[in-house]
Amino acid sequence: ILSVLTQAFYDAEYLFTVPPTVFNPPPKVDSGVLRLIRKKEFTLPCNEALFFKVVKQAFQQRRKTLRNSLKTFNLSNNLKANSIFGQRPEQLPVQAFIELTLLIEKDQV
């Protein structure tokens, strides 16, 4: 959820790696520092509140396909036939979530 929402609203830049030795207790992995810069005057081309709901609901049952995890939206059978619903949320880029939200918006009208 965090990755999709961050990519939707921010430009991320990798700055540097932080070794485990600077933490107490030290983790077993290196950490990275990112700079997040809010996209200026950026608005989603879809309903923002619905976008948040779709992303959150999709990742609540990560191992399931979107067809199963988005059942609460009461989607039409015609929409559920779309190939995007056969995928899992971690397989989708941010743009696909935006397109998915637009599809759900049109379906609920």
Side-chain angles (χ1 to χ4, degrees):
I1 296 172
L2 182 60
S3 175
V4 172
L5 296 179
T6 300
Q7 291 175 57
F9 295 99
Y10 294 88
D11 291 317
E13 177 187 359
Y14 182 83
L15 297 179
F16 54 90
T17 301
V18 180
T21 55
V22 300
F23 298 101
N24 188 15
K28 295 179 181 177
V29 295
D30 288 337
S31 299
V33 175
L34 299 175
R35 175 183 298 151
L36 300 176
I37 300 171
R38 178 79 178 192
K39 294 179 181 177
K40 293 184 183 199
E41 300 178 26
F42 176 77
T43 56
L44 291 173
C46 61
N47 179 312
E48 194 171 298
L50 182 59
F51 176 75
F52 278 93
K53 287 179 188 177
V54 168
V55 172
K56 185 175 179 183
Q57 189 65 41
F59 280 99
Q60 290 216 333
Q61 299 176 356
R62 276 188 45 202
R63 302 235 184 261
K64 295 193 175 200
T65 62
L66 292 171
R67 185 174 291 109
N68 292 320
S69 61
L70 298 178
K71 280 184 179 180
T72 58
F73 286 99
N74 296 320
L75 305 172
S76 69
N77 289 333
N78 189 33
L79 180 60
K80 286 190 279 188
N82 188 309
S83 62
I84 195 169
F85 287 94
Q87 296 184 359
R88 293 190 169 131
E90 63 269 13
Q91 295 174 301
L92 301 179
V94 175
Q95 187 59 39
F97 277 103
I98 293 171
E99 292 166 9
L100 178 61
T101 303
L102 289 168
L103 289 171
I104 292 172
E105 273 184 289
K106 289 177 186 173
D107 190 59
Q108 294 182 344
V109 173

